[in-house]
Amino acid sequence: MGKSAKLLALNIVLAVIATSLILPFVWMILTSLKTLDEVGLPSWLPATFKWSNYADVFRMKEILFSRWYLNSVFVASWVTFLQVFTSSLAAFSFSRLQWKGRDQVFLLYLATMMLPGLVMMIPNYRNMIALGLVDTYAGLILPAAFTAFGTFLMRQFMMNIPRALDEAANIDGASKWQLYWEVILPLSRPALVTLTIFSFMGNYQNMFWPLVMTKTPHRYTLPIGMLFFDSTQGQQTNYLMAAVSMSVIPMIIVFVFMQKQLVKGIMLGSVKG
Amino acid sequence: MRMNKKELKDILVGVSFLTPNICGFLAFTLIPLLISLYMAFTNWNLETHNMFKDNPVTFVGLENFRQLLSEKDFYKYLGNTLFFMMRIPIGIAGSLIAAILLSSNFRGGNKRIWLTSVATIMLIVGCGAMVLGGMGATAMTILICGLFGVVIVSGSLGGQTVYRTLFYFPHFTAGVATFILWKKLYSPDTGPINYALTPLLNTIAPGLAAIPHSGAVVTAAGMTLLIVGICLYGVYRNTALWRDGESGIISLLIGSVFLSLPLIYMAPWTPFQTLRHLAFVPPALAWVMVAVRLGKGRRHPSNPDEGLADAVIICGAVMAGCFILLGLSRVVYGLPEMAADGLEPPKWIADYHWAKPSLMIMGFWAAIGSNNMLLYLAGLSGVSQELYEAADIDGASGLQRFWHVTWPQLANITFFILIMGIIHGLQGGFEMARTMTEGGPFHATTTLSYYIYTEGFATGRLGYASAVSWALFALTLSITLFNWKFGNRYTND
């Protein structure tokens, strides 16, 4: 009996915390289903669920929601692809090849993780102006495409792949590229998946760089679009919340399906330093 | 000679794999870094140096830094940034508690059906009680109770994963979208928080107004004394740890500085303004205590500084707690008077005094179930069961088990979390400020990163903004190096 009571108490505590943590999301979804007249009322529940709000967001004047969605996905996909590719190459060099000065160079890489992005932001912006890349997709993608964190994450994983494989490949006369492409990369799949989710999610939500880089609504990514929405037509809370829901829900879905990889990745990126 | 050739070839092969990354690193990190360093020493300002006014950019030496140090705003924003960092120990405590709760075994096992039915009954009883209690908003009560019921049933059936997922949502989705959501939640007139608070405050206002003024004064005084007591006890414990050789001199000093801060801060903030001249007494007492202990020397000299991370986190948590108490004591002091005219809920992010706490509450919402919780969960599963058994044999209480087994075993993770928290904290606050408050009201939520943004991209003082960003970098670097130097017992094992 004592144990059962303890179990129940523990469950209640956890459920209270969990419920209060997700209450804002519940309010968000319920508000997104209200009519504009109901928005200011105390009751959370709409009289009727107005699902058409979601479709209406796409038809709003000056709110290019579908465009922002696509921009975000487009930019995040490119950045993710480039990040995963370049950092897996670098990680391969740092973990599976022996060369003089390797560890020193790696330390330098780690050090750049500590640099505040803010320091580089202003000169990067000036450079983008000089190159004529402001308000272009290339300007959004390129500076974000290289990551020390990703290199670090991949290296941690590749270090744990047995050495014997390299020797076997060597005996078979494989080149270093073949070793990378045909042996190490396929074995690093879990880390690749993790890094893909991380960098996709991170760039999907990234705010600072798109904020300074985009000038016209056609180039906005979702976060910048949401800012624009909030500042120009934020009074239409029901539509705003529908837009917020639509930008949050994909992340929740990704998380629910990918959480095993994510949890592993978070461990990989930190404790086993 | 052949050996050298091979070495050279190895380097070539190794570096060729790095090439794409190195190109990006040069173009978007190293070169901008150098330009930024140059900018910090120039008077580059978009108002005077643009395509219409072709003034040459001149080298001004340390002028930007001199200006920075003499600018009052800079200290204000630095203070804001540091204030926001109090959420680090609070967040660490939150995630640790969440992780400990999650890692205990709460699955029903063969009692699943029993547990489910209990939960359901409780749900019905809860709904009934609240509806009968006349809360009015019946549909909402049922909604929230129903939600709670779903959560508890799925949690007790699904175990850790269900709760962990729910805990993690706020952190995972934190960004512009959720900040906009919170902006609406905090809306003073139509936000759900104030809709919920208003009837509650109206109900308690007459009761509070009936409290005699003396009662409020005594309570506020009690809270103030409690702060003094907690801080002085903290300093005393600190000296005791140093005396017994369990911590070093740096821990002693840092810990005491941390613990004195609420005491020093109290003078202008305490409700008892007539007695504010006495405010120097407690901090003076604390430092006398430290001085006396230092004079007496220690019983067991020990290795160089250990446990600095512990000291920083625990003292930080105490400090944060004391500041909350201080704020509460002010509220309590004025409460009966305020309640006489009817209580109004705070205006949250639109109010100068509430803006910072509002953002910190939101930060806490996102921080409980963060990556830190996942790290702690992994750490807890790694703590050997034998240690707990040994502690049980020694008859350790729950709290002793925590302080002597769990906490030291998690020290590694705590240290990592602390360092990352400090780095992010110093550079943080931009997104919240930009989305929710525009740095206001009256710059209450302007952090250094938001300052750099406004100077660099809105005002156009590129040179000055670069100087601020370098000052921020220097601060980050020195704190991190300090931590590595004195906290490294965890990382060298």
Side-chain angles (χ1 to χ4, degrees):
Chain A
M1 185 56 208
K3 191 156 182 275
S4 303
K6 215 176 151 191
L7 260 177
L8 189 64
L10 200 61
N11 262 299
I12 291 174
V13 171
L14 282 167
V16 166
I17 300 174
T19 311
S20 39
L21 286 179
I22 57 172
L23 268 186
F25 293 121
V26 175
W27 183 83
M28 165 185 88
I29 290 175
L30 289 174
T31 305
S32 74
L33 298 171
K34 285 178 166 182
T35 61
L36 193 55
D37 297 333
E38 289 173 315
V39 157
L41 299 178
S43 169
W44 286 27
L45 288 169
T48 51
F49 293 107
K50 201 167 161 251
W51 292 100
S52 59
N53 282 349
Y54 283 81
D56 288 345
V57 169
F58 290 96
R59 288 190 223 109
M60 286 177 79
K61 250 191 181 170
E62 287 170 33
I63 304 300
L64 313 170
F65 198 72
S66 49
R67 174 85 192 213
W68 299 338
Y69 231 128
L70 289 176
N71 280 350
S72 257
V73 171
F74 179 76
V75 170
S77 304
W78 264 107
V79 171
T80 305
F81 169 72
L82 290 171
Q83 277 193 354
V84 169
F85 183 64
T86 58
S87 57
S88 69
L89 274 175
F92 174 74
S93 180
F94 283 134
S95 63
R96 314 299 295 191
L97 301 178
Q98 304 291 337
W99 46 281
K100 217 177 166 184
R102 181 187 82 167
D103 294 336
Q104 285 81 345
V105 176
F106 182 64
L107 264 181
L108 189 72
Y109 260 72
L110 279 191
T112 63
M113 273 169 68
M114 248 197 57
L115 289 173
L118 283 167
V119 174
M120 275 87 79
M121 209 59 82
I122 295 169
N124 260 337
Y125 181 64
R126 307 306 301 170
N127 289 349
M128 289 293 144
I129 294 178
L131 292 170
L133 289 179
V134 173
D135 211 23
T136 64
Y137 290 118
L140 282 172
I141 294 167
L142 284 177
F146 308 93
T147 151
F149 169 75
T151 309
F152 174 66
L153 189 87
M154 294 294 299
R155 176 187 174 268
Q156 296 305 95
F157 189 87
M158 288 184 180
M159 291 294 260
N160 292 332
I161 299 173
R163 286 266 149 220
L165 288 171
D166 298 32
E167 283 149 28
N170 215 1
I171 291 165
D172 288 348
S175 69
K176 294 295 179 204
W177 174 260
Q178 281 171 322
L179 175 67
Y180 162 75
W181 190 250
E182 285 166 21
V183 181
I184 302 297
L185 209 54
L187 286 174
S188 310
R189 233 178 102 174
L192 288 172
V193 172
T194 308
L195 182 59
T196 303
I197 307 171
F198 268 147
S199 63
F200 190 87
M201 286 294 127
N203 284 287
Y204 178 80
Q205 290 186 316
N206 188 16
M207 172 179 171
F208 204 130
W209 187 242
L211 184 65
V212 299
M213 274 312 272
T214 54
K215 303 291 171 198
T216 50
H218 281 275
R219 290 284 180 274
Y220 285 173
T221 56
L222 204 48
I224 313 308
M226 295 299 302
L227 267 182
F228 177 75
F229 192 164
D230 182 41
S231 61
T232 55
Q233 305 184 42
Q235 296 311 312
Q236 292 174 293
T237 311
N238 50 346
Y239 291 133
L240 187 64
M241 285 303 124
V244 169
S245 309
M246 280 189 279
S247 67
V248 164
I249 287 169
M251 291 193 277
I252 293 185
I253 293 172
V254 168
F255 175 69
V256 169
F257 285 102
M258 296 291 186
Q259 62 164 314
K260 260 207 187 109
Q261 271 89 0
L262 269 170
V263 172
K264 263 190 214 146
I266 290 160
M267 308 306 152
L268 204 62
S270 50
V271 206
K272 295 180 190 166
Chain B
M1 197 60 196
R2 276 188 70 81
M3 191 58 207
N4 274 345
K5 235 182 186 168
K6 185 176 179 312
E7 264 180 17
L8 200 67
K9 192 180 162 245
D10 282 345
I11 291 179
L12 270 178
V13 172
V15 171
S16 67
F17 276 94
L18 286 181
T19 317
N21 232 337
I22 285 183
C23 291
F25 173 68
L26 286 179
F28 301 113
T29 304
L30 195 65
I31 294 174
L33 198 68
L34 296 176
I35 297 177
S36 163
L37 192 59
Y38 163 74
M39 275 180 167
F41 294 99
T42 65
N43 64 349
W44 200 336
N45 186 333
L46 287 187
E47 259 177 39
T48 47
H49 311 99
N50 53 36
M51 56 169 113
F52 304 112
K53 298 178 196 163
D54 201 14
N55 300 328
V57 173
T58 47
F59 194 78
V60 292
L62 290 171
E63 171 61 24
N64 284 326
F65 292 95
R66 195 195 58 74
Q67 195 187 345
L68 174 92
L69 291 177
S70 61
E71 198 144 338
K72 246 185 165 176
D73 286 348
F74 173 73
Y75 294 103
K76 179 170 177 169
Y77 305 148
L78 179 64
N80 285 347
T81 310
L82 295 178
F83 190 92
F84 277 125
M85 282 171 70
M86 278 204 299
R87 69 173 181 211
I88 298 171
I90 304 178
I92 289 179
S95 331
L96 182 55
I97 291 171
I100 289 174
L101 286 176
L102 281 178
S103 67
S104 42
N105 180 26
F106 48 80
R107 268 174 72 166
N110 51 4
K111 295 199 188 71
R112 273 182 195 182
I113 303 160
W114 174 84
L115 196 58
T116 314
S117 46
V118 169
T120 320
I121 294 166
M122 206 193 57
L123 164 73
I124 296 165
V125 172
C127 284
M130 289 182 90
V131 171
L132 288 177
M135 287 279 280
T138 320
M140 261 200 48
T141 319
I142 291 174
L143 175 85
I144 292 177
C145 285
L147 189 70
F148 177 77
V150 170
V151 169
I152 195 170
V153 169
S154 54
S156 49
L157 292 180
Q160 202 200 58
T161 324
V162 173
Y163 286 127
R164 192 184 63 188
T165 308
L166 293 176
F167 279 26
Y168 198 66
F169 277 164
H171 172 77
F172 193 66
T173 55
V176 175
T178 50
F179 296 157
I180 290 177
L181 167 61
W182 272 88
K183 195 174 161 183
K184 292 289 175 189
L185 293 179
Y186 274 143
S187 164
D189 306 319
T190 57
I193 295 179
N194 277 4
Y195 268 135
L197 280 179
T198 310
L200 190 74
L201 291 176
N202 284 340
T203 325
I204 58 170
L208 287 174
I211 297 175
H213 183 65
S214 56
V217 172
V218 169
T219 317
M223 287 164 104
T224 311
L225 286 178
L226 189 64
I227 298 173
V228 174
I230 291 173
C231 292
L232 288 183
Y233 177 72
V235 173
Y236 168 73
R237 284 292 304 161
N238 233 357
T239 58
L241 282 175
W242 182 75
R243 178 195 66 200
D244 297 338
E246 284 184 27
S247 71
I249 183 85
I250 305 272
S251 288
L252 173 64
L253 292 178
I254 295 259
S256 305
V257 167
F258 263 89
L259 290 167
S260 309
L261 276 178
L263 298 177
I264 294 167
Y265 234 73
M266 226 143 58
W269 284 97
T270 170
F272 305 101
Q273 283 300 306
T274 43
L275 295 174
R276 68 175 183 278
H277 303 295
L278 289 177
F280 73 92
V281 175
L285 214 61
W287 286 100
V288 166
M289 216 145 70
V290 173
V292 166
R293 177 44 61 195
L294 281 176
K296 275 192 187 164
R298 54 202 330 197
R299 278 190 213 149
H300 309 280
S302 79
N303 297 328
D305 236 284
E306 289 189 335
L308 185 72
D310 293 15
V312 170
I313 290 177
I314 294 171
C315 295
V318 170
M319 187 170 88
C322 286
F323 276 113
I324 293 172
L325 259 181
L326 195 62
L328 281 179
S329 78
R330 264 172 81 86
V331 172
V332 165
Y333 185 79
L335 211 50
E337 219 167 304
M338 267 160 47
D341 312 328
L343 287 175
E344 277 195 16
K347 298 217 177 303
W348 303 108
I349 53 173
D351 183 287
Y352 181 79
H353 295 290
W354 276 96
K356 272 195 270 273
S358 304
L359 293 189
M360 285 168 81
I361 291 170
M362 186 186 77
F364 187 64
W365 171 74
I368 293 181
S370 59
N371 293 351
N372 300 346
M373 178 189 79
L374 297 182
L375 290 174
Y376 272 135
L377 266 176
L380 284 169
S381 67
V383 177
S384 126
Q385 218 50 48
E386 289 165 23
L387 288 173
Y388 286 119
E389 281 160 22
D392 283 341
I393 291 168
D394 291 345
S397 70
L399 250 160
Q400 281 173 324
R401 269 164 62 116
F402 175 77
W403 282 117
H404 295 287
V405 181
T406 316
W407 180 252
Q409 289 289 310
L410 294 176
N412 243 332
I413 297 170
T414 308
F415 182 66
F416 174 80
I417 292 174
L418 182 69
I419 293 242
M420 296 313 278
I422 289 174
I423 293 177
H424 286 144
L426 281 170
Q427 296 164 24
F430 169 76
E431 296 192 345
M432 283 190 218
R434 179 68 183 75
T435 314
M436 295 174 71
T437 59
E438 304 269 336
F442 301 106
H443 299 294
T445 56
T446 303
T447 58
L448 285 179
S449 59
Y450 191 73
Y451 184 46
I452 294 170
Y453 168 78
T454 50
E455 287 297 313
F457 292 100
T459 322
R461 292 163 76 194
L462 299 185
Y464 181 69
S466 301
V468 181
S469 70
W470 277 94
L472 179 60
F473 176 53
L475 193 66
T476 316
L477 190 69
S478 50
I479 292 183
T480 313
L481 287 181
F482 185 84
N483 266 321
W484 281 119
K485 177 122 178 50
F486 294 106
N488 62 1
R489 70 161 164 160
Y490 305 131
T491 43
N492 282 353
D493 53 19

